[in-house]
Structure formats: structure tokens, C-alpha cells
Amino acid sequence: MSDPSQPAAPGSRRAAREAAARQAPDAGATAPTPSPQPEPAPSSGTLPGTSTPGPSAGRSIPSHPSSGSIPTAPRPATAPVESQAMPVLADSGPFPAQLSTGALPVFTPRTPAAAAPAQAAASVETPRPSASADPGPVDDEPWIFGAVEAAPAIPYARGSRPAAPTPAAPLPQAAPQPQPQPHEGAQQPQETHGRTALAERPTGITASTATLEDLFTGESSTDDLGDAPPRPNKRKRRIGGWIALGVVLAILGGIAAGGWYVWTTYEEQIRDVMGWAEPKDYEEGLANGETYITIAEGDTGSPISQSLFDAGVTKTDDAFYDYLIETAQNPPFVPGVFKLQKQMTSEAALAALLDPANKMENTAQLREGLTVEQSLPLLAEGTGIELADYETAVADPSQYGVEADTLEGWLFPATYSFEPGVTATQVIQTLVDRTVESLDAAEVPEAQRQEILTIASIIQREARYEEDMQKVSTVIQNRLKPDNQETFGLLQMDSTAQYGYGEMHDGTVSSSAEALADDNPWNTYVHAGLPVGPIANPGDVAIDAAMHPVDGDWLYFVTVNLDTGETIFTTNLADHNRAVAQWQTWCADNPDSGC
């Protein structure tokens, strides 16, 4: 450790190099050695060993100071000779032994900017040497800088006068060493108090195996441990997390979508295989309310099973029929109207149909979409009146206030009960009056009754559900528009062609080529506009749909699934043909479904 009483050495290697560069002599020149001069006495208020700030501050002390009291000498009036400030010795120990006892070049240490004021005041003032002074021996060798720490300044006494320094020959002056350029990523040297902190670290060094325990026990230092590992990139970690979450969600979404498709497509098969199939029949004890079904002459288990389902008696359309097959029963069904309850078991429904007490006397039930020809036998069976009497009663529509050639469309579908002794004419009048009531409820003007019944009868035969009935009404209105350049006013409804040709009762929905080409006034494939009259007896929903079509630009429709009644509506022929192909595929897969 340096003596605090001595002037501070240059604060860094850079400061030492700058001092050497400023004070180095030209090539071939020698530094003159000033002759001994007495040390000036300290002035009043100045500590021994210090100098008063002034023009001469920072000059060197004499090479050979004398002992004893030396008075202050005046400055010689000779040509000024610049004194050379010599660099600080590299070694902090005593001067080298090879220094001669001759004249010692003197220097003033350069004090760092951050040094204390006491160090700045440690410089001593030396008189200029005279022109006749013996230059003395000169050492041409450069000064040598070999260590980080600088050598202490020349000692001096703290008494009334400074102590004489140990005579020594000037050290050889070393040329400034080139500063190596730091490699990329290396730390720059940082200047500290009294020494330079070397932050450069050589590359290619293997990783240290030192641990924190070695650091605390003193076996290793922080240099051995190296720098702390960099912090993880939280932003990249978050991005990676979001990507992983998105992949997981995509996989789960695909599994869910695939499962939903499989379930909706093969629900029935899956339930059968897994034993999850829902029961086809209602449980016992759920029967409530009342409803009516009609059994026509010749009806068997299959059509009766469908009638029971339509009336809300059984849970599925084939529950009653399957029950008959499973129990191997073939009961003799009696035509007529029967009163049953809703949500009955198939067993209870069969018992009710076979019970004469449930057969309604003087009761007739007509369903939607029947023609006059189909309705009259049901009326005769329900009321006990001869069929011929009914055929005579419908011969003259005018007696019921109907201005048409027939009563087609005017025999409203419903369940009717009559008093004993009722006549056929009274029965027909009751049905016509019910039709007028429905027309008035739909706000149909009296002058448009026949037209609305005609449209409603087509709707009743072509659609099954209320929503589809409203769309069919829109298709009819769009085709009847004068600017229709797609079908040019042709409705092209198969129900009208079948009615005119007499194919409505053959058990199929398809029209034959003969029916489509037959020139009758009901064939809308041949004649533009509406047919000459209704083709069936419509119900309340169809009459309201005919009067109130929904908004849309559809021109075509086709029922692609006869079991579910699914119907596709389109606006152009190309899309319609694709829907027809879909229907044909369904018919090929279901040959016994009435295509």
C-alpha cells in the first residue's frame, strides 16, 4: 500500500501514457539536469512540503538537495528551459539498484481529477536552472511501465524543510505500448480510485466448475464463477404458451366436431349398439287428455300405427305396429272414429280400439288433404248414412253458397259429431260452414275465396310443416308474377298433374310421364297460372299460408326425405337439379318409402 503522505500516482494506465507522451523528448535529444538550487522556504500560511499555487506550480524539485536550512533563491534570468515531468515508476517498491548517484531527473506527478486537494498541493516548486548549469549525465533509455499500480512519489519530510530524496539515475523511458482493441462482447476497462479494473475476459476459456460454496469458503472468486446466466425471455415464453394453447384447442375442437357429426348421423345405431336406445313407447301412467282417430275400411296395423302417432297417442310412428308384430296379433279393426287418450302405451291403445264403448256414434273425422271422393266414404261410415245420399248432397254446390262446379276444397277437415237423425245435406252444410269460418279467420276477401282455396289445396298437398307451407306459398306467388322469366308462369306442381290425371291414390309421390304431359285443366306443367279449382280440402294452416306468404325469391323446391319431410328450396334450376339428385339417392336407399 502506498504512503498517503506522498503525492498520488496517475489514476490509470491511460493517464500514465498521456503523461509520458507529453513529456517524452524528441528523438536523439537529452534532458538537461538542472544544477542544485536551494529549496525556497515555505511562505506564511503554507505547510512544509507544499507549494503556493502560481505560475511556477508543478515544477520539479532539485536533483541534489543540500541538507540544512536553505534560503529562498531568486529565479535566474536565463532563457526558460522547460522542465520535463517524468512518468511515475511502475514498481511501488524502492528505486532500482542500478540507478546512479548522479543527478536524478525530477518530475511532478500528475494528479487525477478526482484526487483530494491535499494531493494537488503536494507539488513543490523548483527554480529554473541557470544557463551554465551542468546538464549532467543523461539517460536515453525510455521509462518502463510494467504494472497497474503506480510507484509512490519521491518522499519528503514533514518538518520545516523537505527531506532529500534518494539520489538515483533516471530510469529508461519506455515507449507507449499499443492498446489492444477489445474483442466483441468484451467489457471495457473501468477506472477506479488508484487502479484500473480490467473487465476484459479472454475468449475460449472453458466454463468454471466453481460453486457458491467455494465462493463463501474463499476457494474461488467471483471471476471464477463468471457472469450470472441471462434472464429467460418471458415474451418468447408467452408466445410459445399461446401457440401450445391454440394447438390444444384446435385438437379438442376437431374431436368435438367429429363426435357431434358421428352422433347426429349414427345416433340410432350407436344407441342400439351401446344399449342406450330410447324406448319406442310411453311408460304406463302418462296417459292424459283425449283425441280422436279414424279407422277407414281396410286399414291394417301399419296405417293405424301412423294415425296413432299423428294424433299423439303413441311415442313413435312404428311403436304400435312393432307391438303387434312382437305379440303376433292381427285383430279385426272396425271402421269408425274412436276416442283415445294422448301418451298411451301401445298395449293400452290396442285395447281402446277394440273396445266398442270408445267408438263414437254419428262421428266422422276428415284429415287434411283429402279430396271429396275420399271424404264421402268416411262420412258415411261415421254417421251411418248411405254413401249415395252424400253423393247426391254434393252434386249442387250452389245450395251451400259456393260458386264453383264442385265442392272440392270446401269440405273442411276436422272431427265432427252429429245428433242422431242428421241428414247428408246437413252434414255437408256443416263442413262448408267450417270452411267459411277458416277463410274469415285468415281475412280472405269473399271474392278471393275460391282462389285462396285453390292455392291452399296445392300447399296442403305439397308441404308437411307450417314453415314449409309458407315457403311453398311464396314459390307459387313468385311463379305467377308476369316478369317470371324462369318458368314463364308455369307452376309445375306434381300434385296438380296427379289430380288431373287421377294418380293421387296410387301410393306414390312421383308423377308419371303421362300425367305430366296430359292436357287437363289442372295440369300446371301444361297450363300456366293456377288450375281451374282446388285439388284437395285444406286446413287452417294451409289457408293462412296461402293468404300470407313469406318474403323470399325461391322458385323451386323438392322434398328430399319422405320420412322426415325435409324440403329444400332453391332459386335456380341448377341448384334444384342437385336437390332432385339428392332425393333420387334417398329413394334408391329407401325403395319402400313411397317414392
Side-chain angles (χ1 to χ4, degrees):
M1 183 172 181
S2 301
D3 189 355
S5 62
Q6 299 178 2
S12 64
R13 182 181 296 178
R14 179 179 177 182
R17 289 199 305 268
E18 292 179 354
R22 286 194 299 269
Q23 299 178 7
D26 297 337
T30 59
T33 302
S35 59
Q37 296 293 337
E39 176 73 13
S43 59
S44 176
T46 305
L47 295 176
T50 61
S51 61
T52 303
S56 61
R59 299 188 182 277
S60 303
I61 60 175
S63 301
H64 304 281
S66 303
S67 61
S69 177
I70 302 176
T72 303
R75 189 170 297 177
T78 58
V81 179
E82 290 185 11
S83 62
Q84 261 186 313
M86 307 306 295
V88 181
L89 293 178
D91 193 357
S92 60
F95 287 34
Q98 68 267 24
L99 293 176
S100 64
T101 57
L104 177 66
V106 295
F107 63 90
T108 301
R110 182 175 299 275
T111 305
Q119 295 177 346
S123 301
V124 294
E125 182 177 320
T126 305
R128 293 180 180 272
S130 60
S132 60
D134 186 7
V138 179
D139 194 350
D140 294 335
E141 294 184 7
W143 292 83
I144 299 176
F145 298 86
V148 176
E149 295 185 356
I154 299 176
Y156 61 91
R158 289 184 178 275
S160 58
R161 59 188 179 187
T166 304
L171 293 175
Q173 184 175 0
Q177 298 295 328
Q179 181 71 15
Q181 295 296 328
H183 60 82
E184 183 178 358
Q187 299 180 358
Q188 297 297 331
Q190 300 177 357
E191 183 173 330
T192 59
H193 296 287
R195 66 176 64 228
T196 302
L198 299 178
E200 294 184 2
R201 183 171 302 200
T203 58
I205 300 178
T206 59
S208 174
T209 59
T211 62
L212 289 176
E213 183 178 357
D214 297 338
L215 178 64
F216 285 108
T217 58
E219 297 181 5
S220 300
S221 65
T222 56
D223 294 335
D224 297 331
L225 290 175
D227 296 334
R231 292 184 178 181
N233 193 326
K234 293 183 178 180
R235 183 173 180 272
K236 291 183 178 179
R237 184 185 301 175
R238 287 194 298 268
I239 294 176
W242 283 112
I243 293 175
L245 178 61
V247 172
V248 172
L249 292 178
I251 294 175
L252 293 178
I255 294 175
W260 176 255
Y261 171 78
V262 172
W263 176 257
T264 54
T265 306
Y266 305 102
E267 178 182 359
E268 184 176 352
Q269 293 87 335
I270 294 174
R271 287 185 180 276
D272 292 339
V273 172
M274 302 301 295
W276 300 339
E278 295 182 358
K280 294 183 177 181
D281 220 342
Y282 288 115
E283 297 179 359
E284 294 183 3
L286 298 179
N288 63 89
E290 63 180 29
T291 185
Y292 298 91
I293 70 163
T294 300
I295 298 178
E297 186 71 31
D299 281 351
T300 59
S302 180
I304 293 174
S305 180
Q306 182 66 46
S307 299
L308 290 171
F309 172 72
D310 294 338
V313 177
T314 54
K315 188 174 183 178
T316 58
D317 58 354
D318 56 355
F320 183 78
Y321 183 74
D322 290 344
Y323 173 75
L324 295 179
I325 298 298
E326 293 171 1
T327 58
Q329 299 187 57
N330 186 21
F333 294 105
V334 179
V337 178
F338 294 83
K339 184 170 98 173
L340 283 75
Q341 289 183 294
K342 294 183 178 180
Q343 297 183 347
M344 300 177 68
T345 64
S346 297
E347 182 180 1
L350 177 60
L353 291 176
L354 297 179
D355 187 356
N358 293 323
K359 186 176 184 298
M360 304 298 295
E361 297 297 336
N362 295 328
T363 302
Q365 183 183 49
L366 303 179
R367 68 178 185 271
E368 292 85 349
L370 294 178
T371 63
V372 171
E373 183 181 357
Q374 292 172 315
S375 300
L376 295 182
L378 296 176
L379 292 174
E381 292 174 1
T383 61
I385 303 174
E386 294 294 331
L387 178 58
D389 294 340
Y390 281 106
E391 292 175 347
T392 302
V394 299
D396 184 10
S398 62
Q399 64 178 325
Y400 305 106
V402 175
E403 296 180 359
D405 296 336
T406 68
L407 287 178
E408 197 71 80
W410 287 89
L411 302 181
F412 192 85
T415 301
Y416 301 93
S417 296
F418 303 98
E419 296 292 335
V422 67
T423 64
T425 303
Q426 293 173 334
V427 171
I428 298 301
Q429 185 66 60
T430 301
L431 273 59
V432 173
D433 293 342
R434 179 63 180 85
T435 300
V436 174
E437 180 182 342
S438 180
L439 292 171
D440 292 341
E443 300 179 347
V444 178
E446 186 175 350
Q448 295 182 357
R449 287 177 177 177
Q450 186 70 8
E451 176 185 348
I452 294 300
L453 284 177
T454 301
I455 296 175
S457 66
I458 298 174
I459 295 172
Q460 189 73 68
R461 293 287 299 176
E462 295 285 350
R464 185 180 302 182
Y465 304 109
E466 180 177 359
E467 181 180 358
D468 290 343
M469 289 182 180
Q470 295 173 347
K471 291 182 178 179
V472 171
S473 178
T474 302
V475 171
I476 294 174
Q477 296 298 332
N478 289 338
R479 288 191 171 218
L480 291 176
K481 292 180 179 179
D483 59 349
N484 172 19
Q485 299 298 312
E486 185 79 14
T487 65
F488 301 96
L490 293 174
L491 296 184
Q492 298 177 326
M493 301 291 174
D494 282 43
S495 57
T496 62
Q498 293 171 2
Y499 179 85
Y501 193 72
E503 284 186 351
M504 291 186 65
H505 316 303
D506 63 351
T508 62
V509 297
S510 301
S511 302
S512 64
E514 294 79 10
L516 296 178
D518 187 67
D519 188 8
N520 62 76
W522 286 276
N523 189 355
T524 56
Y525 276 89
V526 176
H527 301 283
L530 293 173
V532 295
I535 60 174
N537 298 318
D540 288 327
V541 177
I543 292 174
D544 185 77
M547 190 64 188
H548 305 98
V550 296
D551 293 334
D553 55 354
W554 306 291
L555 290 171
Y556 302 89
F557 67 91
V558 59
T559 301
V560 297
N561 189 319
L562 300 183
D563 289 344
T564 63
E566 178 186 357
T567 303
I568 296 178
F569 293 82
T570 55
T571 60
N572 57 79
L573 183 60
D575 291 342
H576 175 67
N577 289 336
R578 281 190 285 269
V580 170
Q582 182 178 346
W583 167 71
Q584 292 172 344
T585 301
W586 186 90
C587 289
D589 296 338
N590 301 272
D592 298 329
S593 297
C595 291

